[in-house]
Amino acid sequence: MLSFSSCPDAVLLNVWQHLLGDLPTHIALAQTCRRLRHLYERDDAVWQSVCFTAGFGRPLRRIPLSHQPGAVVSFKQLAHTLVGHASICEIKSCSKANLCFADHYGRWAYTRTRALHPNHALEFHPLYYYLHFSQAQPSSHPRHTHTIQPFTPTPSPSPSPQPAAVPDAVSILLTHLPTFPECRYAQYGPLCVHPNAACAFATFPPVDRLEFENGAGDVFMVVENPEGCTVLDVNRALAELIPFDDQHLEFALAHYQELALTSGLSLPQFADAIMRDRGFLGDHEYPFLQHIVAHL
């Protein structure tokens, strides 16, 4: 009987190519025998290809690796994280993050980002619109509507369809704020604790650079990731445009106070507790939190 350990390399390669995009099967296959385990472990590029064809990239970290040696998340680790999170997340748009593009990736021959013609149409991931243009308010305090002005983002190459309005700053802010512990797997609070949504490529096809233009055609935001721009890369770039003003500071303060009150902790105690959870990349920064604690 022919076993995996005795199969020619050409046969194993053919099997591997037919399974591209199926993360759980690749994880199981890598544990089948020593030969396959060696093939998967000797080069992280194998796992990068597996993740890529499933529609996932690796967001850029905020903290320089020189400050945290060995802190980089390998693609093998990322694949295991994605499969593990999908089994517990209650948000379908996260656990099934790339279901909308499954047919696209099934026909996609590449396993890396490729340079596109400037006029090549891009299709933005639905999470780009859901997270940044409309999101339900989870807490009880009133929501103040504020948009990032005067920008009307038209990424270049242009996406299809076009966004209906400019991003809502409060919607973006909510994707960086924490939520109630019991809602951790039911709400995007924050986005960085939902790796499947965060690592989904922001566009199809994936690209390594996105330029966002305002209505006058001026570039106001550039998102770059040599391994492919992800939803989290775009999300963090948009968050940097949120003004540090009284309106957003008060919104964040009310949010933190509500969570602290519910947890039975003082605000400084609550801040100390949540700052230990920095997401799957270990680099999340909670908006305004250090400023708020410093001025208590």
Side-chain angles (χ1 to χ4, degrees), residues 107-123:
R107 299 190 298 267
W108 189 243
Y110 296 139
T111 56
R112 296 287 191 281
T113 55
R114 294 292 189 272
L116 296 178
H117 188 277
N119 295 324
H120 193 297
L122 292 180
E123 186 174 355

Side-chain angles (χ1 to χ4, degrees), residues 88-106:
I88 59 175
C89 186
E90 300 174 28
I91 310 174
K92 187 175 181 180
S93 61
C94 178
S95 61
K96 306 287 186 182
N98 286 315
L99 186 62
C100 56
F101 289 148
D103 291 340
H104 292 54
Y105 283 104

Side-chain angles (χ1 to χ4, degrees), residues 102-270:
D103 291 340
H104 292 54
Y105 283 104
R107 299 190 298 267
W108 189 243
Y110 296 139
T111 56
R112 296 287 191 281
T113 55
R114 294 292 189 272
L116 296 178
H117 188 277
N119 295 324
H120 193 297
L122 292 180
E123 186 174 355
F124 260 60
H125 197 290
L127 281 170
Y128 166 72
Y129 302 102
Y130 174 73
L131 295 172
H132 308 132
F133 291 84
S134 63
Q135 181 174 335
Q137 163 98 10
S139 54
S140 59
H141 53 79
R143 172 171 175 162
H144 303 283
T145 302
H146 184 81
T147 54
I148 297 174
Q149 295 285 2
F151 307 123
T152 304
T154 53
S156 178
S158 59
S160 176
Q162 289 284 358
V166 295
D168 174 33
V170 171
S171 291
I172 298 168
L173 183 58
L174 283 169
T175 64
H176 288 255
L177 295 173
T179 188
F180 298 101
E182 63 271 19
C183 300
R184 179 182 176 86
Y185 297 114
Q187 295 179 355
Y188 287 118
L191 175 61
C192 68
V193 302
H194 291 274
N196 299 56
C199 294
F201 286 119
T203 63
F204 185 87
V207 293
D208 58 11
R209 178 183 173 91
L210 286 166
E211 294 183 357
F212 289 72
E213 301 174 352
N214 61 21
D218 300 321
V219 175
F220 71 89
M221 185 177 81
V222 176
V223 181
E224 292 183 293
N225 184 335
E227 296 170 344
C229 296
T230 65
V231 170
L232 185 60
D233 291 320
V234 175
N235 172 261
R236 287 179 166 178
L238 286 170
E240 292 177 359
L241 300 179
I242 298 176
F244 193 106
D245 55 22
D246 290 342
Q247 179 180 350
H248 295 97
L249 180 60
E250 291 172 3
F251 181 90
L253 174 60
H255 188 91
Y256 291 130
Q257 287 175 329
E258 182 175 354
L259 294 178
L261 179 64
T262 304
S263 66
L265 301 173
S266 67
L267 191 52
Q269 290 173 329
F270 174 76

